[in-house]
Amino acid sequence: MSEAAGPATTRLGALARWVPGVQTLATYRRGWLSKDVIAGLVLTSLLVPQGMAYAELAGLPPITGLYTTVFGLLGYALFGASRILVVGPDSSLGPMIAAVVIPIVGSGGDPAVAVALASMLGLMVGITMTVAGVAKLGFIADLLSKPTQIGYMNGLAVTIFVSQLPKLCGFSVDADGLIGEAAGFFRGLADGDAVPAACAVGLTTLAIIVVLQRWLPKLPAVLIGVVTAIAAASLFDLGAHGVKLVGPLPAGFPPFTLPHASWGQLLLLLVGAIGITIVSLTDTISTASSFAARTGQEVRANQEMIGVGAANLAASFFQGFPVSTSGSRTAVAEQSGARSQLTGLVGAALILVMLVLTPGLLRNLPQPTLGAVVIAASLSLADIPGTVRLWRRRRLEFLVSIAAFLGVALLGVLAGIAVAVGLSVVNVFRRVWWPYQTELGRAAGVRGYHDVRSYPDAELLPGMVLFRFDAPLIFANARVFRDQIRHLARRDPRPVWIVLAAEPITDVDTTAADMLTALDEELNAQGTSLVFAELKDPVRRKIDLYGLTGALAPEHFFPTLDDAVAAYRTQTGTDWVTPDGGSPLEGDVQPGPPR
């Protein structure tokens, strides 16, 4: 029996590693069932209105949001690693989808074409995410630093907020971009296009959601707002007063449809898919990490990508569009007692039952209410406290965040994501190109050698400079390093040794190696020696491989700064002195950009 069970158990374990849903099913506890069902019922109250609202945000029919929600949940339940993470239509992806699809279809174009393109976009995102997960490319999420994420999300929040204001007031504008949509909204108000009844129901719904989320967070704010709006539409016949209603939804099971697009459209879709993948990947890993920390679970970042990729693939074959994880819906599931992905499956089943048995349930849902749901979601995207913290802690990163914000707000969401990624990469490159560099001295009462900016009274050794360069030494900063060493060598009196505290230097490339050879020869000719201390073993091996050990003189490499200092004092007989007339850094070591 045990011999027969062994291979079967091994096969089950291998399958569970790639399909975590199998593991969840095999280890499911009966006591979880009631909690998962109740959490699924609560979650559905959020899934339906948000799914429909985010579909319209993406420029698609509301019903596609429900299709997307159902199959996104099913796909992730099978392949996702987290027990409670919830995926589906997302407010941060909606504008990106619209930015890709609407220009191709054209304003007022055929909705069926828009749905087909959005499905193809979902397919491409699903393939990209799945391949990234299999190839263990989770580091791509690091392309968006925290400041650029904050700026991007703030810009997205403002863009979404402004785009939904006309819908909230019962009219529409034909404009592109934040400035155009804002101008169109105020022009519409001035021209009397706003529908009073629509403004009333939209603003009331928004107020209900915001107030309940702020003061009574345990109540289903979105559900209460939606039910109130539907009741008002029925009681006061708002449709007859100019308020647009959702109307009956198509009845029945979502149709299986193969995504399709022309060759000319595929390139445009691919650009959008890459941007959506980066945002979705970043959101997935950050959200998964946040909730895993609460529950003590281990984050399997690559499997999470595969799970979200599977959710996108499943949705794309049923007239769906790209999905991502949702922090707000996951929080609702967690607060409602969810124990496994059965919570999402319950939500998907309830939506299917509604579509099959009661498709007219939401026919009196006012469109301004969907606008209110989206606006409420946009408010949660903005991180004003985070922006203020950047201003207080590090002005340069605050400026990076503002630049990302302006990129989204002024150039659009797709260009904005390119700006955000570009800024993150440039910021990393800037730190390597112009790193922090300083002179070290011996501070009273503190062991070791320390930055003389922090200890201006630190003692120095006459004729020797202890210099620290806080970056790998590569082509990008080789000139900066060379120029700084030359500057130090021009002191009067000229230093005998310039000792490089090399512990922060994690790499030396061939460009830097050639620079070091030429610099050492130049300094030797002028009576100054370039000395290395605390060089890491992997870097020392590279220097040996480049043939620099002989060129730079083997006796000028020391394992520690103490050894280098002792050797210098033995050779010269000098002793430590206190700087006179201010910091020895004045006019010498350049600090680099603000950090």
Side-chain angles (χ1 to χ4, degrees):
M1 173 82 78
S2 59
E3 293 180 359
T9 303
T10 302
R11 287 194 297 271
L12 180 62
L15 179 62
R17 190 177 67 231
W18 291 100
V19 188
V22 173
Q23 178 69 21
T24 300
L25 182 63
T27 59
Y28 194 81
R29 301 177 187 176
R30 184 176 301 176
W32 293 351
L33 182 60
S34 61
K35 294 181 175 63
D36 281 337
V37 171
I38 292 173
L41 291 169
V42 175
L43 182 63
T44 304
S45 68
L46 191 63
L47 294 175
V48 173
Q50 282 194 346
M52 297 172 68
Y54 297 162
E56 290 208 330
L57 180 62
L60 302 168
I63 187 64
T64 60
L66 299 184
Y67 295 163
T68 302
T69 299
V70 168
F71 288 95
L73 291 170
L74 293 176
Y76 184 83
L78 194 57
F79 290 95
S82 172
R83 287 189 179 274
I84 64 168
L85 210 62
V86 178
V87 304
D90 189 67
S91 57
S92 63
L93 299 189
M96 300 184 72
I97 298 168
V100 177
V101 172
I102 291 178
I104 300 175
V105 178
S107 180
D110 186 355
V113 176
V115 171
L117 293 175
S119 296
M120 177 56 75
L121 189 62
L123 179 64
M124 297 171 80
V125 170
I127 293 174
T128 306
M129 287 284 283
T130 303
V131 169
V134 172
K136 300 182 179 180
L137 300 180
F139 66 87
I140 295 175
D142 298 333
L143 290 177
L144 281 178
S145 66
K146 187 64 175 180
T148 53
Q149 284 183 54
I150 291 175
Y152 175 79
M153 287 301 179
N154 286 342
L156 202 59
V158 172
T159 300
I160 293 172
F161 182 87
V162 171
S163 71
Q164 296 300 301
L165 287 176
K167 180 184 288 187
L168 194 72
C169 295
F171 66 97
S172 60
V173 297
D174 186 11
D176 292 322
L178 176 65
I179 295 176
E181 290 179 338
F185 171 68
F186 288 112
R187 189 164 47 247
L189 290 181
D191 294 341
D193 294 339
V195 178
C199 291
V201 71
L203 291 173
T204 299
T205 304
L206 180 59
I208 290 173
I209 295 174
V210 171
V211 169
L212 291 181
Q213 286 179 340
R214 176 68 179 85
W215 299 106
L216 297 169
K218 292 187 177 181
L219 293 180
V222 174
L223 176 62
I224 293 173
V226 168
V227 170
T228 301
I230 293 175
S234 302
L235 287 173
F236 301 108
D237 194 15
L238 296 183
H241 291 81
V243 178
K244 294 181 181 179
L245 306 177
V246 169
L249 298 175
F253 196 80
F256 177 83
T257 308
L258 288 175
H260 60 279
S262 67
W263 286 106
Q265 295 167 339
L266 285 177
L267 181 60
L268 297 174
L269 292 173
L270 178 60
V271 173
I274 293 173
I276 291 172
T277 298
I278 293 175
V279 172
S280 180
L281 193 156
T282 303
D283 191 32
T284 295
I285 293 179
S286 61
T287 303
S289 300
S290 174
F291 283 94
R294 297 186 195 181
T295 58
Q297 296 181 26
E298 179 183 353
V299 177
R300 296 170 55 190
N302 294 313
Q303 188 62 45
E304 294 292 2
M305 286 188 285
I306 294 173
V308 176
N312 277 280
L313 290 172
S316 71
F317 289 108
F318 292 89
Q319 298 188 1
F321 50 85
V323 300
S324 182
T325 55
S326 169
S328 62
R329 276 165 280 176
T330 302
V332 168
E334 181 189 48
Q335 293 167 5
S336 302
R339 292 293 184 269
S340 74
Q341 284 298 322
L342 182 60
T343 295
L345 296 180
V346 170
L350 289 175
I351 294 174
L352 287 176
V353 169
M354 184 193 74
L355 291 175
V356 173
L357 301 181
T358 59
L361 183 64
L362 301 175
R363 65 180 181 275
N364 287 332
L365 177 60
Q367 290 282 359
T369 293
L370 294 180
V373 171
V374 173
I375 288 177
S378 74
L379 297 177
S380 67
L381 292 177
D383 188 359
I384 304 303
T387 306
V388 173
R389 281 195 300 271
L390 290 177
W391 169 260
R392 291 174 177 171
R393 296 177 180 177
R394 197 160 184 175
R395 298 292 171 85
L396 184 61
E397 293 197 345
F398 169 80
L399 294 176
V400 169
S401 179
I402 294 300
F405 167 79
L406 293 175
V408 176
L410 301 180
L411 302 179
V413 289
L414 288 180
I417 188 64
V419 169
V421 171
L423 287 172
S424 293
V425 173
V426 168
N427 196 28
V428 171
F429 185 78
R430 176 196 63 82
R431 295 181 184 183
V432 174
W433 170 56
W434 200 3
Y436 187 77
Q437 44 196 302
T438 190
E439 185 176 348
L440 305 178
R442 190 177 72 169
V446 184
R447 296 183 61 185
Y449 306 95
H450 302 277
D451 190 337
V452 296
R453 292 192 187 86
S454 301
Y455 298 90
D457 295 327
E459 296 175 332
L460 306 174
L461 276 174
M464 187 183 78
V465 177
L466 288 175
F467 174 65
R468 194 182 73 207
F469 190 79
D470 290 353
L473 195 53
I474 59 174
F475 70 95
N477 56 31
R479 183 187 60 81
V480 173
F481 177 89
R482 181 199 63 195
D483 291 349
Q484 186 57 62
I485 295 295
R486 284 175 173 174
H487 190 75
L488 292 170
R490 287 196 294 267
R491 283 185 176 177
D492 187 19
R494 190 178 187 88
V496 179
W497 278 18
I498 297 178
V499 179
L500 179 62
E503 194 272 338
I505 298 178
T506 57
D507 192 18
V508 175
D509 70 3
T510 55
T511 301
D514 291 341
M515 177 274 297
L516 286 174
T517 302
L519 180 62
D520 185 62
E521 293 176 355
E522 177 185 323
L523 294 175
N524 288 338
Q526 298 169 359
T528 298
S529 297
L530 184 61
V531 177
F532 296 82
E534 298 185 342
L535 199 64
K536 295 179 183 296
D537 289 344
V539 180
R540 178 64 186 267
R541 285 193 289 270
K542 288 184 179 181
I543 286 181
D544 292 341
L545 181 64
Y546 298 151
L548 294 183
T549 305
L552 297 178
E555 64 271 18
H556 285 166
F557 288 84
F558 294 92
T560 68
L561 282 173
D562 282 334
D563 291 331
V565 168
Y568 177 77
R569 293 184 64 188
T570 299
Q571 177 178 314
T572 62
T574 57
D575 201 0
W576 295 96
V577 297
T578 301
D580 186 26
S583 169
L585 279 177
E586 291 178 358
D588 288 323
V589 178
Q590 305 301 313
R595 301 192 63 194

